[in-house]
Amino acid sequence: SAVISQKPSRDICQRGTSLTIQCQVDSQVTMMFWYRQQPGQSLTLIATANQGSEATYESGFVIDKFPISRPNLTFSTLTVSNMSPEDSSIYLCSVVTGSTDTQYFGPGTRLTVL
Amino acid sequence: QKEVEQDPGPLSVPEGAIVSLNCTYSNSAFQYFMWYRQYSRKGPELLMYTYSSGNKEDGRFTAQVDKSSKYISLFIRDSQPSDSATYLCAMTTFMNRDDKIIFGKGTRLHILP
């Protein structure tokens, strides 16, 4: 299994500002994912971050808006840039690990943009 | 048609009842099916997974896959108030590690004491 922590757990931000979310895993993992979970919506994959390569973004998400860092095998950050109220959501870090490629999620960061 | 459909609920049942949660899907290539449980203000946690068709049982939980109908179910026996959470189905083709996992919207379940 994997234990994942995220910081901050929640934040309230002003329009136009940026927030960086940190994700720490208790073991080395190759694949890390960032998801968004909006009220009443399914989990939406933002990007896949593999250590040593550029993050791969899903349709509808761009690097300028959601820059990602992956400096090592246990840590990643997601920045939500130039925020608007539409960015209010829960952002979740996730990893795939284990012999069965099980996906584990962090506790999430609840972001409110005013 | 969306790839995965899941009734958002809420579903309220009395304690001790059998709960049935379901998802339908459209992609016949899906063959790896998962159920996640998400408590309020927590991230999803993997509850059960099954590969291809059939049933899998783990304690009070049974996962069932009917690929011919493109329909999956999660049954909870002897439901407890602690089972109150949102349950998300998820699935993937599992052809390779780059395959995306597609999630349902989740069903909110309330077990009434």
Side-chain angles (χ1 to χ4, degrees):
Chain A
S1 65
V3 177
I4 305 171
S5 60
Q6 286 185 234
K7 287 182 181 179
S9 59
R10 66 182 68 183
D11 208 343
I12 300 174
C13 302
Q14 295 296 322
R15 180 196 297 262
T17 62
S18 298
L19 176 72
T20 295
I21 302 168
Q22 299 179 5
C23 175
Q24 180 76 51
V25 189
D26 69 340
S27 59
Q28 293 185 337
V29 294
T30 303
M31 303 176 75
M32 295 183 78
F33 306 87
W34 286 98
Y35 283 84
R36 184 170 71 183
Q37 188 176 31
Q38 294 180 308
Q41 301 298 317
S42 56
L43 283 166
T44 303
L45 181 63
I46 297 171
T48 302
N50 292 335
Q51 198 270 337
S53 62
E54 294 289 323
T56 303
Y57 290 82
E58 297 299 310
S59 175
F61 299 96
V62 295
I63 187 171
D64 290 345
K65 176 67 175 177
F66 297 101
I68 288 172
S69 79
R70 183 80 203 275
N72 57 54
L73 291 173
T74 64
F75 187 79
S76 177
T77 67
L78 170 76
T79 299
V80 186
S81 304
N82 188 24
M83 289 184 284
S84 66
E86 292 71 33
D87 295 319
S88 297
S89 184
I90 299 173
Y91 292 85
L92 293 143
C93 170
S94 177
V95 303
V96 172
T97 188
S99 59
T100 55
D101 281 344
T102 301
Q103 186 164 15
Y104 299 92
F105 288 86
T109 296
R110 185 178 295 268
L111 171 63
T112 302
V113 184
L114 302 177
Chain B
Q1 183 185 8
K2 292 186 178 176
E3 278 197 285
V4 178
E5 300 267 11
Q6 184 176 12
D7 188 333
L11 177 64
S12 297
V13 299
E15 183 176 356
I18 296 175
V19 175
S20 174
L21 303 167
N22 311 294
C23 288
T24 58
Y25 62 94
S26 58
N27 187 350
S28 58
F30 286 145
Q31 53 182 341
Y32 193 68
F33 304 91
M34 296 152 279
W35 285 96
Y36 284 83
R37 178 176 62 194
Q38 186 174 20
Y39 290 114
S40 179
R41 302 185 185 279
K42 301 285 187 183
E45 58 175 325
L46 182 65
L47 200 57
M48 295 185 70
Y49 65 89
T50 54
Y51 183 72
S52 195
S53 285
N55 294 358
K56 184 174 183 179
E57 189 173 322
D58 183 1
R60 297 185 294 111
F61 299 88
T62 299
Q64 194 172 78
V65 175
D66 182 349
K67 291 191 73 180
S68 62
S69 302
K70 297 190 184 71
Y71 188 87
I72 68 170
S73 301
L74 177 69
F75 298 98
I76 307 175
R77 290 185 302 280
D78 187 26
S79 56
Q80 306 293 312
S82 58
D83 295 327
S84 298
T86 297
Y87 290 79
L88 299 96
C89 64
M91 50 199 78
T92 181
T93 58
F94 206 50
M95 298 301 289
N96 58 65
R97 278 191 149 194
D98 294 329
D99 291 337
K100 283 197 303 184
I101 297 176
I102 308 299
F103 289 86
K105 291 184 177 182
T107 299
R108 285 189 294 139
L109 173 66
H110 298 296
I111 306 298
L112 307 171

